[in-house]
Amino acid sequence: MTELADLTAVALVEAYRARRLSPVEVIDAVIARIDAWEPRLNALWAYDPDAARTSARESEARWMKGEPLGAIDGVPVTIKENIATKGTPVPLGTAATTLVPAAADAPPAARTREAGGVIFAKTTMPDYGMLSSGLSSFHKLARNPWDLSTNPGGSSAGAGAAAAAGYGPLHIGTDIGGSIRLPAGWCGLVGLKPSAGRLPIDPPFIGRAAGPMTRTVADTALYMSVLTRPDRRDTMALPYQEIDWLNLAGSVKGLKIGLWLEAGFGQAVGDETLAAVQSAAALLTDAGATIVPIAPFLTRAMIDGLDRFWRARGYEDVARLPPEQQARILPYIFNWIVTAKDFSGGDVYTGFAQIDAMRNALHGALKDVDFIISPTAPEPSYPAEWASPLNDPQRPFEHIAFTVSANMGGQPAVSINCGYSSGGLPIGLQIIGQSFDDIGVLRLARAFEEMRAPSRPWPWPTLS
């Protein structure tokens, strides 16, 4: 029964339509998987199995009448906790937040519910979403199911752990510098940061996106068909576009793909990651693509400036809190933010200006190629208890060099597994596409998914 938890969303919908499976059977299987894993993973918050069973029974009744609500009716779903769901507080990963029930579903949660998705839990995240880690002052420490001594990444930490552990097929995270793609890479998943504005969110912000985290490209595409429906609350959203998300057929032959192996700042790419990405490039070459090297196009000034702006943005919020609430913030985060207290207006403005610099640099790098491929992260995952791969609050962004520019530029980017370390940890390949070409990115990811070596079996809860 618990193997039902590992079925894809595409397979579940097909089975519901043919009446081979019931959403009730499936949610029971997911609950059993959670019972086996969750005491060690700490991926979930606001978990409500009783409400999930009620939703599954309602879905079962709709399928029996042949009247599903939408494309994912009866499919189990988790929602990252910073995406509001009506009636549930939004702690933002930090013990400094005053817990107040959300008044309404944010757009991704609303679209999920309207399409019949069975939302059974929120997923954990670090303080204010400002870590690539499962470490939080509010939630228990989230761990990576591939190796419980390692980090799932973040800030969509619980989502990454839940998807890899088989807590159902559909999960959604958010990403402002790599927070979907990094945990997807470290947990062996498909993680899509859509084009800026493609998927409505609330509140919108420069560089911020929500997107699916799944085990397959087809499941990501299926969920995008739901999540991209319009919502006026996102004042930065693109005009709605009808896209045939499930048409993933496409040839690699004739594509010109840039191979980006040195970002220009940050951690150097490790040998195992380098080998896995180069092997992926070789597969694409064999399939008819032309691979060309991409020179480093980011600079230390760019990330240092963005770091200043993000510190200032964080300090503006934190400085309003009374001292007793400030004291509840994760020390790593507070020690990073508080350095902004003496910044000048010029410090903040020149930091903000690096968003344009990154955008222009990535647009330039994409000018003569169809796509860029790169490592998702320089190295496989790191110790679970650490806040970041270097664990240094004054050097917090050395590992996001390959992911952050797509946020600032707005291009779609996906992480997909391309191999494993000698210790068995997943390694992610990032694919960056042209502006607004989300379907092109998914088609290339699907082509690679079909040509890569078979993935290793997903972690099982008997792992220690």
Side-chain angles (χ1 to χ4, degrees):
M1 176 65 72
T2 55
E3 292 183 3
L4 294 180
D6 294 311
L7 290 178
T8 67
V10 171
L12 288 178
V13 171
E14 181 182 337
Y16 296 158
R17 184 173 290 112
R19 299 188 183 180
R20 294 193 305 270
L21 279 178
S22 159
V24 177
E25 295 176 273
V26 174
I27 200 63
D28 283 345
V30 169
I31 289 168
R33 180 67 58 82
I34 291 167
D35 288 344
W37 259 128
E38 186 59 10
R40 289 171 289 172
L41 284 190
N42 301 317
L44 303 183
W45 185 69
Y47 173 45
D48 192 342
D50 291 337
R53 286 189 169 107
T54 298
S55 294
R57 286 192 294 270
E58 293 169 350
S59 175
E60 179 185 58
R62 291 191 294 270
W63 279 109
M64 291 299 291
K65 290 188 289 186
E67 298 175 354
L69 279 179
I72 58 170
D73 202 337
V75 178
V77 183
T78 71
I79 307 281
K80 188 175 176 182
E81 64 103 312
N82 65 337
I83 298 172
T85 51
K86 185 176 180 179
T88 304
V90 183
L92 300 176
T94 179
T97 300
T98 301
L99 299 181
V100 178
D105 285 338
R111 301 297 86 77
T112 299
R113 215 182 295 276
E114 291 162 2
V118 177
I119 301 171
F120 62 89
K122 309 297 287 288
T123 50
T124 57
M125 61 181 280
D127 293 51
Y128 302 111
M130 291 307 298
L131 294 178
S132 299
S133 173
L135 189 64
S136 164
S137 64
F138 181 83
H139 301 293
K140 293 180 181 178
L141 176 66
R143 295 179 180 272
N144 190 327
W146 289 93
D147 179 344
L148 294 174
S149 71
T150 66
N151 216 294
S155 63
S156 304
Y167 291 12
L170 297 183
H171 309 267
I172 185 169
T174 60
D175 190 317
I176 201 170
S179 288
I180 288 171
R181 289 158 290 159
L182 289 165
W186 286 326
C187 292
L189 306 169
V190 177
L192 175 67
K193 183 210 76 70
S195 293
R198 175 72 69 201
L199 194 163
I201 56 173
D202 182 36
F205 191 78
I206 295 169
R208 183 171 180 254
M213 298 174 69
T214 72
R215 290 181 171 185
T216 68
V217 176
D219 273 5
T220 286
L222 176 64
Y223 204 10
M224 284 293 286
S225 74
V226 169
L227 293 169
T228 53
R229 305 298 298 182
D231 194 301
R232 289 184 60 83
R233 288 174 289 176
D234 188 342
T235 55
M236 299 171 69
L238 294 172
Y240 176 69
Q241 182 180 359
E242 287 282 354
I243 295 173
D244 187 0
W245 290 103
L246 296 182
N247 180 7
L248 295 172
S251 175
V252 171
K253 188 174 182 179
L255 291 178
K256 188 175 182 181
I257 300 174
L259 178 60
W260 184 32
L261 297 175
E262 187 178 344
F265 73 86
Q267 289 177 277
V269 178
D271 291 343
E272 291 182 316
T273 300
L274 184 65
V277 173
Q278 288 175 327
S279 293
L283 287 176
L284 294 167
T285 299
D286 291 344
T290 299
I291 303 295
V292 298
I294 296 290
F297 58 84
L298 302 180
T299 66
R300 172 57 57 184
M302 291 177 186
I303 194 61
D304 285 351
L306 190 60
D307 184 356
R308 286 198 308 277
F309 171 68
W310 278 345
R311 291 184 198 224
R313 176 181 170 228
Y315 184 70
E316 174 63 18
D317 292 334
V318 167
R320 301 174 188 175
L321 299 177
E324 60 271 19
Q325 280 183 269
Q326 291 181 359
R328 297 175 195 151
I329 299 170
L330 193 73
Y332 182 104
I333 290 290
F334 187 78
N335 292 338
W336 171 68
I337 290 173
V338 75
T339 58
K341 67 181 186 302
D342 296 322
F343 283 0
S344 68
D347 292 332
V348 178
Y349 175 76
T350 56
F352 181 81
Q354 295 307 313
I355 293 173
D356 280 339
M358 277 194 184
R359 177 187 296 116
N360 294 338
L362 181 52
H363 274 257
L366 282 162
K367 182 171 72 74
D368 297 320
V369 296
D370 299 303
F371 300 91
I372 289 174
I373 61 172
S374 75
T376 302
E379 294 275 9
S381 189
Y382 59 97
E385 295 79 10
W386 285 15
S388 68
L390 297 185
N391 209 31
D392 180 351
Q394 303 314 320
R395 292 191 299 162
F397 299 132
E398 302 303 293
H399 60 289
I400 69 171
F402 291 103
T403 53
V404 66
S405 61
N407 294 87
M408 302 304 107
Q411 290 83 357
V414 67
S415 180
I416 184 169
N417 179 250
C418 68
Y420 302 86
S421 72
S422 57
L425 293 174
I427 295 170
L429 172 75
Q430 180 178 232
I431 301 169
I432 303 174
Q434 300 290 336
S435 296
F436 315 125
D437 188 23
D438 303 70
I439 191 64
V441 164
L442 289 180
R443 286 173 177 162
L444 181 54
R446 175 61 174 157
F448 176 74
E449 184 179 51
E450 292 180 326
M451 69 180 68
R452 70 184 179 187
S455 298
R456 296 184 183 181
W458 291 97
W460 197 249
T462 54
L463 292 177
S464 60

